[in-house]
Amino acid sequence: SSFPMIVSAYQPYFAPFAGFFAKALQSDILVLMDRVQFPRGTTWLTRNRFKNDQGVLWLTIPVWKKGLGLQQIHEVRICNEGRWAAKHLASLKSAYRNAPFFEDHAPFIEGLFSERFDRRVDLNLNVIQHMMAHLRIPAKVVLLSDLRVDSDEPRLSVDICRELGATRFLAQAGAGKYLDANRFQSAGISLEFFTPRPPVYPQLWGPFIPNLSALDLLFNCGPKGHDLLLKSTRGIN
């Protein structure tokens, strides 16, 4: 078609920050990179930042790693032992019960911590889809593991674009070191870098903290979150 088709890619983070959704808002297709290596150290795939009366509230979803060696993201399983799910639910409720839109999302949050997801990527995908629906982001979400692409960077992103028929690839500014601009050029794909400004909005509990999980934005701003994301990308592309 004569319309530009914009693809972007991100790892399927846990309850991602606003920048993740700002990029999705500029894209036709968001590819979730679930067929790449799960990092050994701490990672945004398993934890994120929220906010309570103490300031930053970290929530981490435990996963099985011991004796499993290197895993790909889509293979990683959640450790459903212990009381972490009940604790996380209680922490979120006490942090956000006075947020104007928390009630709208409470049933979802309760389900999230009771449904006993097995695979890490399934829980994360569930949260991402909920957030995209409520932030009114029309991009189509595709899992890398569902595409017929099996290369690594610096070929991977180009191959994804080819497979999906993309004319533009939107990358975050720091990704330049993994991507090969010449490959994009010879494939006829425009490689563009994108750094949204963190949206500023009313939060509970004292001074504003940028780049928390965008659930903080949803709980505090509800449907207005969409406009705030839009504003954070203005004049950038």
Side-chain angles (χ1 to χ4, degrees), residues 56-67:
V56 171
L57 164 69
W58 282 98
L59 292 187
T60 302
I61 314 265
V63 295
W64 295 108
K65 280 189 196 173
K66 205 175 157 70

Side-chain angles (χ1 to χ4, degrees), residues 8-27:
S8 66
Y10 248 124
Q11 290 193 357
Y13 294 152
F14 168 58
F17 75 122
F20 179 104
F21 297 102
K23 194 163 80 160
L25 195 52
Q26 302 285 312
S27 313

Side-chain angles (χ1 to χ4, degrees), residues 82-218:
R83 297 206 9 91
W84 64 263
K87 282 186 184 149
H88 285 3
L89 185 57
S91 307
L92 281 175
K93 281 183 167 171
S94 81
Y96 290 105
R97 61 172 176 256
N98 297 325
F101 298 92
F102 183 66
E103 276 312 302
D104 297 351
H105 302 278
F108 172 77
I109 298 297
E110 278 162 16
L112 192 65
F113 292 121
S114 64
E115 268 181 38
R116 311 275 298 194
F117 288 90
D118 178 36
R119 290 194 319 157
R120 173 75 275 194
V121 69
D122 292 335
L123 183 141
N124 288 9
L125 183 60
N126 187 267
V127 185
I128 288 168
Q129 286 174 326
H130 177 85
M131 295 169 84
M132 283 179 70
H134 288 271
L135 291 166
R136 304 201 310 281
I137 297 173
K140 184 180 168 197
V141 175
V142 172
L143 292 174
L144 177 57
S145 56
D146 289 338
L147 295 178
R148 292 169 311 194
V149 173
D150 62 359
S151 50
D152 295 312
E153 295 298 8
R155 269 180 49 206
L156 177 57
S157 292
V158 178
D159 290 348
I160 288 170
C161 288
R162 281 196 164 127
E163 174 75 11
L164 292 168
T167 54
R168 295 168 62 192
F169 184 75
L170 204 51
Q172 50 273 49
K177 52 181 181 289
Y178 311 107
L179 302 173
D180 180 348
N182 293 328
R183 269 180 206 276
F184 280 92
Q185 204 176 356
S186 47
I189 298 154
S190 160
L191 172 60
E192 297 164 25
F193 293 99
F194 175 76
T195 311
R197 294 177 293 275
V200 177
Y201 54 91
Q203 281 175 346
L204 302 174
W205 313 116
F208 179 78
I209 302 175
N211 291 326
L212 300 178
S213 163
L215 280 174
D216 184 87
L217 171 67
L218 267 181

Side-chain angles (χ1 to χ4, degrees), residues 10-66:
Y10 248 124
Q11 290 193 357
Y13 294 152
F14 168 58
F17 75 122
F20 179 104
F21 297 102
K23 194 163 80 160
L25 195 52
Q26 302 285 312
S27 313
D28 297 301
I29 298 179
L30 170 66
V31 178
L32 294 178
M33 308 289 259
D34 66 332
R35 213 186 40 67
V36 297
Q37 190 182 308
F38 188 83
R40 283 187 175 283
T42 54
T43 160
W44 295 107
L45 291 161
T46 54
R47 62 183 205 151
N48 218 320
R49 303 181 319 146
F50 298 84
K51 189 180 178 191
N52 64 9
D53 56 342
Q54 305 296 301
V56 171
L57 164 69
W58 282 98
L59 292 187
T60 302
I61 314 265
V63 295
W64 295 108
K65 280 189 196 173
K66 205 175 157 70

